[in-house]
């Protein structure tokens, strides 16, 4: 009975596999798998979008180099009960429901001229993040290529092993050895599962809509390059490895963060200016209205005497470096 169950499972599995492969299936080479994966892989598309975001952020305005310009308008009304006492005569005058109004509109400009090198460090940091965005995309591309190539040849390997198990099963049938047939049948079915898993993973890497889509692999052998040289590979790794480059960029970012914290030890200089119109209406004043149209400007120089977080942030920034 146990032998019959094994044979039935084997037949059912084989029929399922034949049914899948009977459908039209694309033929893949390693090159076509890489092209499809680089075009459609979702993780890579996300990294590319993040790279574009870092490019959009690396601007002078985002770093704080440029002034801010705003347009504002407002209205204010007050209704008061007033009591006025004249100094000369001592006479007291009371007025109820005094309605005064103020209307203003203008353009305001604010510009940080110097902020202890904080703006410079911030711009350098944004540019470094832009470069790191490019590095992250490069790493994602290299990882995807490595994963697709590894899974492609893993599929080839699993297919070779499946062929070997199929041959072993046929031999055991010919010899009518029940124990050996039971072992090889189980190994054959297990190998089919491994091949199926590899197919799903390769479809996922290429972002196929149907991760269970059958396909045909053009290669049937794995050719190993015998000319690989360790010293050449090691030297190339130290020179162009993207992960090492990203580590160096992280170190640069940490140093810039430390510079930003230290910038608080310097004074700051800010300039402001504006051009506007103001209209005041008085209910009981000697003048019924007054209007102003003109320019205003000023400069502010300051220094932060105490910041409770500065010492903690400086220590953390030094640790990060």
């Amino acid at each position: 009975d146990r032998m019959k169950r094994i044979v039935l499972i084997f037949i059912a599995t084989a029929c399922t596999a034949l049914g899948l492969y009977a459908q039209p299936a694309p033929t893949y080479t390693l090159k076509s798998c890489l092209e499809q994966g680089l075009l459609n892989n979702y993780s890579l598309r996300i990294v590319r979008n993040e790279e574009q975001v870092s490019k959009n952020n690396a601007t002078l305005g985002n770093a704080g180099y440029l002034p801010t310009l705003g347009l504002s308008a407002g209205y204010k009304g007050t209704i008061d009960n007033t009591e006025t006492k004249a100094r000369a005569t001592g006479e007291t005058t009371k007025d109820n429901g005094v309605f005064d109004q103020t209307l203003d509109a203008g353009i305001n400009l604010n510009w940080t001229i110097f902020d202890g090198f904080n703006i410079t460090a911030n711009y350098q940091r944004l540019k470094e993040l832009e470069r790191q965005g490019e590095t992250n995309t490069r790493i994602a591309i290299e990882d995807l290529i490595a994963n697709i190539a590894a899974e492609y040849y893993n599929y080839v390997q699993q297919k070779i092993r499946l062929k070997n198990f199929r041959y072993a099963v046929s031999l055991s049938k010919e010899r009518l050895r029940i124990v050996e047939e039971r072992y090889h049948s189980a190994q054959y079915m297990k190998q089919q599962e491994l091949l199926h898993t590899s197919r799903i993973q390769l479809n996922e890497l290429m972002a196929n809509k149907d991760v269970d889509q059958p396909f045909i692999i053009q290669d049937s052998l794995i050719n190993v390059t015998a000319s690989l040289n360790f010293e050449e590979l090691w030297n190339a790794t130290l020179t162009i490895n993207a992960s090492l480059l990203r580590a160096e960029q992280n170190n640069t970012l940490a140093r810039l963060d430390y510079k930003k914290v230290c910038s608080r030890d310097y004074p700051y200089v800010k300039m402001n200016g504006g051009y506007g119109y103001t209209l005041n209406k008085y209910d009981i004043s000697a003048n019924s209205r007054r209007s102003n149209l003109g320019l205003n400007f000023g400069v502010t120089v300051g220094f932060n005497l105490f910041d409770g977080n500065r010492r903690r942030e400086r220590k953390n920034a030094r640790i990060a470096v």
Side-chain angles (χ1 to χ4, degrees):
D1 291 339
R2 189 174 181 180
M3 183 62 197
K4 288 181 179 178
R5 285 198 300 270
I6 292 175
V7 172
L8 288 174
I9 292 173
F10 171 77
I11 293 173
T13 305
C15 290
T16 302
L18 289 173
L20 286 172
Y21 284 95
Q23 301 173 3
T27 300
Y28 288 142
T29 63
L30 177 58
K31 182 174 181 291
S32 63
C33 289
L34 292 174
E35 288 174 346
Q36 185 169 333
L38 291 173
L39 183 64
N40 299 323
N41 184 269
Y42 296 112
S43 297
L44 183 57
R45 289 162 71 177
I46 290 172
V47 173
R48 283 173 171 156
N49 287 340
E50 290 173 347
E51 178 190 354
Q52 186 59 49
V53 169
S54 66
K55 287 183 178 180
N56 295 340
N57 288 337
T59 63
L60 293 173
N62 195 31
Y65 269 112
L66 303 181
T68 60
L69 186 66
L71 176 65
S72 63
Y75 169 81
K76 179 182 177 181
T78 61
I79 301 177
D80 298 311
N81 296 326
T82 66
E83 181 177 310
T84 306
K85 183 176 181 180
R87 185 182 299 275
T89 63
E91 183 181 355
T92 300
T93 304
K94 295 183 179 180
D95 296 286
N96 296 326
V98 177
F99 183 35
D100 293 336
Q101 303 175 75
T102 301
L103 177 67
D104 62 80
I107 297 176
N108 303 297
L109 180 141
N110 294 281
W111 194 358
T112 301
I113 305 299
F114 179 73
D115 195 14
F117 307 107
N118 178 61
I119 297 175
T120 303
N122 198 31
Y123 183 65
Q124 291 173 345
R125 188 177 187 277
L126 291 173
K127 295 301 289 184
E128 193 66 29
L129 286 172
E130 179 183 5
R131 287 187 285 269
Q132 191 171 74
E134 297 172 355
T135 304
N136 289 337
T137 300
R138 176 182 159 189
I139 290 174
I141 291 174
E142 291 174 353
D143 287 348
L144 181 62
I145 288 174
N147 291 334
I148 290 178
E151 197 55 53
Y152 180 88
Y153 285 115
N154 178 56
Y155 186 86
V156 174
Q157 182 184 17
Q158 300 302 337
K159 194 172 181 182
I160 293 171
R161 295 187 67 189
L162 182 66
K163 181 179 178 182
N164 293 338
F165 279 125
R166 185 185 298 120
Y167 179 69
V169 169
S170 66
L171 287 180
S172 64
K173 282 184 178 180
E174 290 177 3
R175 296 169 183 169
L176 299 177
R177 295 172 60 180
I178 297 176
V179 176
E180 189 175 347
E181 180 180 359
R182 183 183 305 158
Y183 169 76
H184 286 304
S185 297
Q187 289 294 103
Y188 180 76
M189 287 184 288
K190 182 179 179 181
Q191 187 59 36
Q192 279 192 320
E193 287 300 316
L194 291 174
L195 188 65
H196 184 214
T197 301
S198 178
R199 184 174 79 238
I200 291 175
Q201 290 175 345
L202 193 55
N203 277 321
E204 285 181 343
L205 288 169
M206 292 187 292
N208 284 329
K209 293 183 179 179
D210 180 12
V211 296
D212 204 21
Q213 172 187 307
F215 52 76
I216 299 170
I217 291 293
Q218 185 167 312
D219 292 284
S220 58
L221 296 174
I222 301 176
N223 297 318
V224 180
T225 302
S227 60
L228 294 177
N229 181 274
F230 175 80
E231 290 298 328
E232 292 179 0
L233 292 173
W234 177 247
N235 291 332
T237 297
L238 296 178
T239 304
I240 62 173
N241 182 268
S243 295
L244 293 177
L245 178 60
R246 182 168 61 183
E248 184 180 345
Q249 290 168 341
N250 283 332
N251 184 263
T252 301
L253 290 171
R255 293 182 183 278
L256 289 172
D257 286 338
Y258 183 75
K259 185 177 180 181
K260 282 170 61 66
V261 174
C262 293
S263 68
R264 300 180 189 178
D265 296 334
Y266 295 87
Y268 59 83
V269 180
K270 298 181 180 181
M271 185 183 76
N272 58 80
Y275 186 83
Y277 174 76
T278 303
L279 173 64
N280 292 290
K281 288 188 175 182
Y282 308 106
D283 198 2
I284 61 171
S285 176
N287 301 315
S288 63
R289 57 181 289 176
R290 179 180 178 179
S291 63
N292 298 301
L293 176 64
L295 177 69
N296 63 84
F297 55 88
V299 176
T300 302
V301 179
F303 187 82
N304 292 318
L305 295 177
F306 177 75
D307 183 352
N309 286 325
R310 192 184 310 177
R311 186 175 180 184
R312 175 187 60 83
E313 291 180 0
R314 190 194 300 272
K315 287 182 176 179
N316 291 343
R318 188 182 294 115
I319 290 172
V321 174

